[in-house]
Structures are given as structure tokens and as C-alpha cells.
Amino acid sequence: MTAEYTTEQNKALITGIMDELSRGNGKPFVDAMADDFAWTLPGRNAWSGTYEGKKEVREKLLAPLFAQFATQYCNTAHRILADGDFVVVECQGAVTTKTGKAYDNSHCYVVRLAGGKMKHLNEYMDTSLVEEALEAPNHAQSA
């Protein structure tokens, strides 16, 4: 049986994760992903789609993304709203890529939680900046 978490507990969990991410510590973010976590990037670029399972998120989304960064990635929350199992985060990333481009994307995360773990994240962002600053991930090579 999964313990029920309140709106306040869910907001506190995500607030703590984002506080750490603002200092460049992504470990609490990864630790909070459920094994069946899914991350959806709407849009029509090479990164768009749904990455299903913590393993796939780490290998096909996070690894190719972070491999492009020359500096430590930080992401600072400006607003966090919560309602039940959903927490919405308006935040600003900051990093320089190995090609010298600033990848300072604005993000809006809509996170669904269950039992103190992130189950799904929809990420909305400036997709033009993604195409301008990042190389495409190598999805086809791992398939």
C-alpha cells in the first residue's frame, strides 16, 4: 500500500530537490524518480518524446544532455505551485555547452508524484533554444 502524501509534503519534496539543483546537485532529483518514472518533452525536435522508466531517462535523456555541458548545470526555481499529487515548477537553467553556447533555458515542469516519488514529468521550454544550443541525442544508435 502506497502512503498518501499531502499537497504540502509533495511541494516540500520538490522544493528541496530544486534547492539542491540550484546549487548544481542533481542527485536528489534522480533519487526521487520512481523506477517507472516517465519524462515527456512535447514538441517536434530531436529531444521531443516520452522517455519511459528511470533507466531510459538516465541513459537516453540525461546522459546525452549532460555530456554536452562544459560547466556545472544549475536550475533555479522561481515559482512552485502544488495541488495534490501535482507540483508545477517555473525555473531557469544555467550552463555552458562544450561548444561555448549558453544553454540558459526557461522551463516549466509539471510533476505528478505518488508515494513520495516522481512518476511523470512534462517539461515545457524554449524549443528553439534547444535546437540552437544542443546537438541531437543519439537515439537511433542505441535502438
Side-chain angles (χ1 to χ4, degrees):
M1 182 171 164
T2 303
E4 293 292 321
Y5 281 70
T6 66
T7 296
E8 293 76 21
Q9 289 170 313
N10 287 328
K11 183 176 182 180
L13 174 68
I14 298 299
T15 298
I17 289 168
M18 293 306 298
D19 285 348
E20 287 299 316
L21 201 51
S22 73
R23 293 189 279 276
N25 180 10
K27 186 177 182 327
F29 188 97
V30 172
D31 289 347
M33 291 182 212
D35 288 339
D36 62 348
F37 175 72
W39 191 323
T40 300
L41 300 167
R44 296 184 181 142
N45 66 51
W47 294 88
S48 298
T50 298
Y51 301 81
E52 300 207 25
K54 185 175 184 174
K55 183 177 187 298
E56 182 173 286
V57 167
R58 293 184 77 186
E59 292 175 0
K60 294 187 178 179
L61 175 61
L62 298 179
L65 178 64
F66 279 77
Q68 297 186 49
F69 297 162
T71 59
Q72 184 175 44
Y73 178 75
C74 296
N75 191 329
T76 303
H78 299 292
R79 183 173 296 122
I80 299 176
L81 306 170
D83 183 12
D85 292 339
F86 289 88
V87 179
V88 177
V89 182
E90 185 179 5
C91 51
Q92 181 73 46
V95 71
T96 301
T97 67
K98 290 178 180 176
T99 60
K101 295 177 182 172
Y103 184 63
D104 54 356
N105 214 333
S106 297
H107 307 269
C108 180
Y109 300 145
V110 179
V111 184
R112 183 174 56 82
L113 298 115
K117 291 286 190 180
M118 295 189 300
K119 297 291 281 182
H120 192 267
L121 185 149
N122 280 324
E123 178 183 357
Y124 302 93
M125 69 189 126
D126 179 350
T127 55
S128 292
L129 180 59
V130 170
E131 292 178 341
E132 177 185 313
L134 300 176
E135 298 295 323
N138 297 319
H139 294 302
Q141 292 179 5
S142 61

